Amino acid sequence: MSRNKSRAMARIKSMLFRLVLGVVGLWLTGIVAFAFLPVPFSAVMVERQLGAWFSGNFSYVAHSDWVGMDDISPWMALAVIASEDQKFPTHWGFDVEAIQSVLDSDGEKAGMRGASTLSQQTAKNVFLWDGRSWIRKGLEAGLTVGIETVWTKRRILTVYLNVAEMGNGVFGVEEAAQRYFHKPASRLSMSEAALLAAVLPNPIRFRADAPSGYVRQRQQWILRQMRQLGGESFLRQHKLD
């Protein structure tokens, strides 16, 4: 009986090992492929869609429409950097000072999003699930190193702008621009870009089509940050335009 149990455990371990290798292989393939190919959908999009179906919400559809950086208003790129990660052009995927600040307070209460760079958020959105577990954060760190190694900063920004959740079922700047402003992402104004960036911390609670007072205040703060960074010249300086 013990021998049969040992064989069963060995088979399970072998299957788990192969599963892990398969997932890692998929991630590595994705990192290489998405360095130049459009991302058709993200892991978070799949998670949201499956979650809606399992809860009985069959009207929910996760929408996304891929566009290249040349078809995205430079204001949008600047807005997400100003609001989410002002050190994005110069860090290697992690904002060490921000992480230390969170750990010095209370990582669980403060939330690790406050330390997440655009690179980390991109890795999470494309390859992982939503949530706050340390296991996910560890996987996110490894994937962040991968995309920072293989992708350019401009590519990371392009992918982020195409997969970021900006509303209920709204993923990516093109879908958001069409849904909320009835125009392509290439024509977003500075104010519109800042409004979209203002909802990123919680795109389910905050709405770009019906902004609360807090969202409007955050929009104005982002606009000030965009000007302080130097406007479009900031993007040109760091080869992000």
Side-chain angles (χ1 to χ4, degrees), residues 65 79 87 202 217:
D65 190 6
K87 297 179 181 178
N202 194 332
Q217 290 177 358

Side-chain angles (χ1 to χ4, degrees), residues 42-54 60 124-125 128-131 136 171:
S42 69
V44 171
M45 288 178 66
V46 173
E47 179 185 1
R48 293 283 191 267
Q49 189 66 69
L50 292 177
W53 286 343
F54 288 144
Y60 178 94
K124 183 266 292 183
N125 287 338
L128 298 171
W129 63 95
D130 204 4
R136 200 222 70 193
F171 292 84

Side-chain angles (χ1 to χ4, degrees), residues 93-104:
F94 306 92
D95 187 338
V96 177
E97 291 182 6
I99 293 173
Q100 188 61 52
S101 177
V102 170
L103 294 176
D104 287 344

